[in-house]
Amino acid sequence: MAKPKKKSGREIFALGAEAVVEGALLAGCSFYAGYPITPSSEIMEGMASRLPGTSDGVFVQMEDEIASMGAVIGASLAGRKAMTATSGPGFSLMQEFIGYGCMIEAPLVIVNVMRGGPSTGLPTSPAQADVQQARWGTHGDHSVIVLSASDVQECLAMTVTAFNFAERYRTPVILLLDEITAHTREKITVPTPDSFEILYRLQPSMPPEWYKPFEETVRGVPPMPPLGAGYRYHVTGLTHDPLGFPTQRPDEIVALLERQFRKIDQFFFDIQLADEIETADAEIVVVAYGSVARSAQLAVAQAREKGVKAGLLKLKTLFPFPRTKLERLAPHCKILVVPEMNMGQMSREVKRVNTGQFAVRTINRVDGQIITPAEILKVLRRR
Amino acid sequence: MAERTQLIHHYLRHNKKFPHVYCAGCGHGIALGSLIRSVHALGWSKDEVVMVAGIGCSGRMAVYVDFNTVHAVHGRALTIATGIKLSNPNLKVIVVMGDGDALSIGGNHFIHAARRNIGLSVLVLNNNIYGMTGGQCSSTTPLGATTTTTPFGQMEKSFDLVELAAAAGANYVARASAFHAQGMDKLMQATFTHRGFSLLEVVSPCHTQYGRKNKFKTVVDMYRWLKESATPLEQYRKLSAEKAKGRIPLGVFVDRDEPSLEERYADLRADQTAQAGRR
Amino acid sequence: MSKKKGQSKVTVYPDWCKGCGLCAAFCPAKVLEIGADGKARAVREEDCVDCGFCELHCPDFAILVTPKDKSRRKDNHVVPAARE
């Protein structure tokens, strides 16, 4: 979705965080609310200097991460493409509003630059320990899209994808980066705006009195007009009927929640993004995401040199978990290696979808250090 | 009198259940009437009004009126309203909160919204209690009052909402009472049209959860008390400390004319665009 | 606004009235009472001075005070439609 149609654009030397800013502006983001937190603050600073110079861009620094999410949701209701960025502790504070965003189906993007935890943890060190929180952090059953990026160019592309998914599916989208990805500086190409597909939320074309803001539709995604456009409706975090008003009727409750899951599930194949590197004949495949995927890519190349039929499945979509990408490996691949900077969060998903085809090996680091290619290579060569 | 009640009916959502959910004699109903009359008097269209409400009795108000309505999460109405106002400053954003909503769980948002002087019209319906959840004490429950969580009397001091908003930098701060609806209409219209963060505290009796436990036999008794203790601010300021005790001053406490955040932001953007043009 | 007695009609919508008693307690002319059915009713309509307290303070929008003589209705007595 976010692949450039042709090679064009300007080259810059940028941090991952700066690439997120470029991506957001390309995607049409015109509202940013946030609260400073290491290691995500460069995104906020970038938006602060860039947004006021755009035709309608708004930047506001709020009093905390709760308020930041509230402002982003308000902006989304008012018709803006809106985002915020944070890190672990701030992400925890946002959870209440993430659930609200899912419930009212507000398109918005949250970037979480993961650092070591729990609690204040390791503010300046990388981790990938918020993976399951991104999926299940807010209370109640909900459906959400979680994406990831492993290098600076990908930070830009995945930010655009995050906005496109948010608008298309009317949902909060979480982009999980880690401290290394956000703080790596490298040369990237900022594509020209017309080289990307940019999506906008569906607008109602029916007369206002026909409009039902939470109506069942074929795609499961009702149109969403901005506040003040003549389609007066009610928005609430309470379980609501198709008109948006609170309901306790069992049939309406189940219809709402099932639609909210289905609108994402039914487009699973459009949403599951992963790069397959040397997997066609691989007997052992590394499943990795974020900065660890770069270590893994080198390890796979080195393993190939040593005659090991290794491959890499680089996950760009973490949730909904891209299980069919794994299933396609089964005929030739017997072993999966899941390296990650946590105690084993994505490997839980891998093990969950594994019905015995694979042996799953995990590599876990929680000491604030990156997982090196050598560590992965060692596991790849183990027989 | 003009036919005010029928006017109100024009602004209600006809597919909602009436009478509304509020208990008999609840001040929130009177405030809702005043709100509708004020919107009408200002000639605002339903489409340009956005009402953002919090959680609690006051939060229920959003369901009933035919505006663009947003029922936020507890305490966070101001944050959503800030996003809406900054995104589209043409919208008339009215925020309705209760005392627990605005001052306890949302206290931080409240002082910061006032500080940044964002152009919101904020109504805090202060009934000194958590009504919806069953009568627990709030941060405006008076010292000594009995509630379900202060069965032996409230030990903590209460917030003075007006003083708090004034100190935090609100552009306009006023207090009205549910017993004085005509005065409330005037103050509410001023709140709605004043630039920047404009606060109207509405003293709204809750007999069900507060009055019954605090020596008010009937809801009418609470309004009698309000009638007797409410004092116009000009008069209140002349009273000795002793005589002022227990009285509730009503009127306009702060009337500043600082530019609002969205106005400042529009200036910034104009500057930036001009600079970009020169480059 | 006329202070003359007996020129107003006081209507209570019993289905919306919750019987809180505010109108009856504070009516300066004692026009309203709470009846045995627990609802407000106008028992001395001829004494109404058209102060409007009950209409403004009814929390349930259940009371109307209107001029009896339709010709006395000024423009502001005609309910203007709310703007969409």
Side-chain angles (χ1 to χ4, degrees):
Chain A
M1 179 163 287
K3 276 179 193 146
K5 285 173 194 158
K6 55 179 189 282
K7 283 254 177 190
S8 62
R10 64 192 159 92
E11 289 188 341
I12 59 168
F13 190 55
L15 286 178
E18 291 163 359
V20 169
V21 173
E22 296 292 344
L25 295 174
L26 271 176
C29 173
S30 67
F31 189 96
Y32 184 100
Y35 186 79
I37 184 167
T38 305
S40 76
S41 299
E42 290 84 357
I43 298 174
M44 185 181 190
E45 289 163 2
M47 293 306 253
S49 60
R50 296 286 292 279
L51 276 173
T54 64
S55 62
D56 61 348
V58 177
F59 169 89
V60 61
Q61 178 168 334
M62 298 298 285
E63 55 272 20
D64 56 28
E65 286 87 350
I66 302 172
S68 305
M69 267 301 289
V72 163
I73 284 172
S76 177
L77 288 170
R80 299 297 192 117
K81 287 192 179 188
M83 79 179 278
T84 186
T86 188
S87 185
F91 193 56
S92 294
L93 285 180
M94 289 179 178
Q95 292 301 336
E96 178 189 39
F97 258 137
I98 291 174
Y100 184 80
C102 292
M103 193 57 150
I104 71 165
E105 300 174 55
L108 54 92
V109 173
I110 304 149
V111 181
N112 174 3
V113 183
M114 293 180 284
R115 66 190 218 186
S119 189
T120 315
L122 299 162
T124 56
S125 301
Q128 296 178 311
D130 303 349
V131 170
Q132 293 292 348
Q133 191 195 13
R135 176 63 192 88
W136 296 112
T138 193
H139 61 276
D141 279 325
H142 64 284
S143 199
V144 74
I145 297 174
V146 183
L147 306 176
S148 179
S150 62
D151 62 31
V152 177
Q153 187 73 53
E154 226 171 75
C155 281
L156 188 153
M158 292 311 290
T159 304
V160 176
T161 304
F163 274 100
N164 280 348
F165 282 172
E167 295 288 317
R168 182 169 172 195
Y169 302 109
R170 247 192 99 167
T171 181
V173 174
I174 296 159
L175 176 59
L176 285 183
L177 306 179
D178 55 67
E179 191 271 340
I180 295 170
T181 323
H183 283 169
T184 299
R185 194 179 281 280
E186 54 192 349
K187 191 177 81 177
I188 60 162
T189 305
V190 181
T192 53
D194 58 347
S195 63
F196 271 96
E197 181 91 48
I198 303 294
L199 301 181
Y200 294 88
R201 68 195 71 166
L202 201 61
Q203 292 299 313
S205 49
M206 71 281 274
E209 57 273 24
W210 292 11
Y211 175 63
K212 292 180 182 166
F214 302 96
E215 190 181 24
E216 184 60 83
T217 66
V218 180
R219 289 175 55 218
V221 184
M224 182 181 180
L227 293 173
Y231 293 84
R232 296 188 303 277
Y233 66 100
H234 187 60
V235 176
T236 178
L238 288 164
T239 306
H240 42 271
D241 63 18
L243 287 171
F245 293 109
T247 184
Q248 300 217 14
R249 267 176 51 184
D251 59 327
E252 288 179 341
I253 297 167
V254 77
L256 175 78
L257 293 181
E258 283 187 353
R259 179 177 60 72
Q260 289 184 347
F261 271 83
R262 204 183 61 244
K263 72 176 180 182
I264 289 171
D265 290 349
Q266 113 186 7
F267 293 94
F268 173 74
F269 289 99
D270 291 350
I271 297 170
Q272 65 158 3
L273 303 175
D275 284 351
E276 289 149 332
I277 297 157
E278 308 223 44
T279 53
D281 64 340
E283 290 167 0
I284 181 165
V285 171
V286 184
V287 182
Y289 56 97
S291 59
V292 176
R294 298 185 83 172
S295 295
Q297 195 167 345
L298 184 58
V300 164
Q302 289 168 346
R304 284 269 169 184
E305 281 169 19
K306 303 256 193 293
V308 180
K309 282 191 171 177
L312 168 64
L313 182 67
K314 183 167 82 179
L315 304 180
K316 293 172 166 178
T317 301
L318 303 187
F319 295 102
F321 183 71
R323 58 181 158 72
T324 58
K325 300 276 184 191
L326 288 185
E327 284 158 9
R328 291 214 328 242
L329 300 172
H332 46 83
C333 170
K334 299 294 161 230
I335 304 167
L336 296 178
V337 179
V338 190
E340 48 186 344
M341 289 185 282
N342 57 46
M343 297 290 272
Q345 296 199 13
M346 215 55 199
S347 60
R348 290 173 77 95
E349 294 299 311
V350 173
K351 287 171 183 165
R352 181 174 65 79
V353 301
N354 177 19
T355 48
Q357 313 97 306
F358 309 108
V360 180
R361 297 178 185 169
T362 60
I363 304 171
N364 304 102
R365 273 195 97 145
V366 289
D367 57 355
Q369 302 300 307
I370 189 170
I371 297 175
T372 62
E375 281 175 89
I376 299 170
L377 183 62
K378 210 169 113 190
V379 178
L380 288 178
R381 295 186 69 189
R382 201 171 79 208
R383 273 292 164 184
Chain B
M1 299 307 291
E3 282 150 14
R4 290 162 159 165
T5 295
Q6 284 130 316
L7 172 69
I8 288 167
H9 294 173
H10 276 269
Y11 283 85
L12 298 178
R13 282 182 168 138
H14 298 173
N15 55 349
K16 292 293 106 194
K17 204 176 155 216
F18 285 98
H20 50 55
V21 70
Y22 300 126
C23 305
C26 176
H28 287 24
I30 302 172
L32 175 58
S34 182
L35 186 151
I36 291 173
R37 287 191 298 273
S38 302
V39 166
H40 184 80
L42 294 170
W44 290 354
S45 74
K46 291 177 179 178
D47 279 333
E48 66 186 326
V49 176
V50 179
M51 185 198 274
V52 186
I55 296 286
C57 292
S58 61
R60 285 304 173 106
M61 205 172 265
V63 164
Y64 295 116
V65 282
D66 190 16
F67 302 133
N68 302 284
T69 52
V70 181
H71 187 210
V73 291
H74 195 25
R76 323 267 177 241
L78 282 169
T79 68
I80 294 183
T82 298
I84 293 171
K85 186 67 182 181
L86 285 172
S87 294
N88 185 354
N90 295 325
L91 294 172
K92 319 287 188 193
V93 185
I94 300 170
V95 184
V96 181
M97 296 178 290
D99 44 313
D101 210 28
L103 295 180
S104 294
I105 189 164
N108 198 30
H109 307 311
F110 182 82
I111 56 174
H112 284 278
R115 175 185 63 79
R116 61 172 69 93
N117 201 25
I118 173 82
L120 303 173
S121 307
V122 181
L123 307 180
V124 177
L125 309 184
N126 183 1
N127 56 11
N128 306 112
I129 199 86
Y130 284 87
M132 186 72 75
T133 45
Q136 297 82 9
C137 79
S138 80
S139 47
T140 59
T141 299
L143 200 63
T146 306
T147 72
T148 54
T149 49
T150 56
F152 311 109
Q154 168 66 297
M155 290 178 288
E156 301 169 10
K157 285 196 285 185
S158 62
F159 264 135
D160 183 325
L161 181 49
V162 158
E163 300 280 341
L164 184 67
N171 235 8
Y172 180 87
V173 180
R175 184 188 283 128
S177 116
F179 185 78
H180 305 82
Q182 234 157 350
M184 175 160 37
D185 284 14
K186 282 197 195 111
L187 292 170
M188 203 169 299
Q189 285 177 39
T191 306
F192 286 176
T193 48
H194 204 285
R195 79 200 299 203
F197 187 92
S198 309
L199 169 80
L200 179 66
E201 175 186 357
V202 178
V203 182
S204 176
C206 171
H207 184 251
T208 307
Q209 301 291 13
Y210 182 80
R212 287 186 305 152
K213 299 186 190 82
N214 290 284
K215 299 186 177 121
F216 292 101
K217 266 191 152 167
T218 67
V219 67
V220 170
D221 289 342
M222 293 199 78
Y223 283 86
R224 286 209 177 93
W225 157 78
L226 200 50
K227 185 184 179 185
E228 283 153 20
S229 50
T231 314
L233 182 62
E234 300 71 38
Q235 230 171 298
Y236 179 85
R237 283 188 171 140
K238 290 177 195 152
L239 296 176
S240 65
E242 197 186 335
K243 282 196 171 161
K245 209 177 165 193
R247 300 209 147 262
I248 303 168
L250 304 181
V252 181
F253 292 77
V254 174
D255 190 350
R256 301 181 184 123
D257 197 30
E258 305 268 339
S260 66
L261 178 64
E262 71 274 12
E263 289 171 316
R264 286 186 202 270
Y265 199 88
D267 290 347
L268 165 69
R269 197 152 52 206
D271 281 359
Q272 289 281 313
T273 316
Q275 270 181 31
R278 276 199 296 276
R279 254 179 239 140
Chain C
M1 191 191 294
S2 169
K3 291 285 177 194
K4 274 192 184 167
K5 277 189 185 182
Q7 298 192 348
S8 300
K9 181 171 164 47
V10 181
T11 313
V12 177
Y13 299 136
D15 51 341
W16 282 33
C17 173
K18 291 179 190 147
C20 66
L22 287 185
C23 53
F26 296 103
C27 175
K30 304 272 174 266
V31 172
L32 291 143
E33 272 180 14
I34 300 295
D37 57 355
K39 307 283 184 184
R41 56 173 76 153
V43 289
R44 279 175 289 273
E45 194 176 66
E46 64 281 4
D47 290 345
C48 175
V49 294
D50 193 20
C51 75
F53 181 94
C54 56
E55 190 166 8
L56 278 181
H57 290 83
C58 174
D60 294 291
F61 319 126
I63 306 181
L64 259 65
V65 184
T66 46
K68 274 183 184 165
D69 179 1
K70 280 189 180 143
S71 66
R72 277 190 61 251
R73 292 188 181 190
K74 292 179 195 150
D75 284 350
N76 66 348
H77 281 96
V78 180
V79 179
R83 292 176 62 202
E84 289 301 307

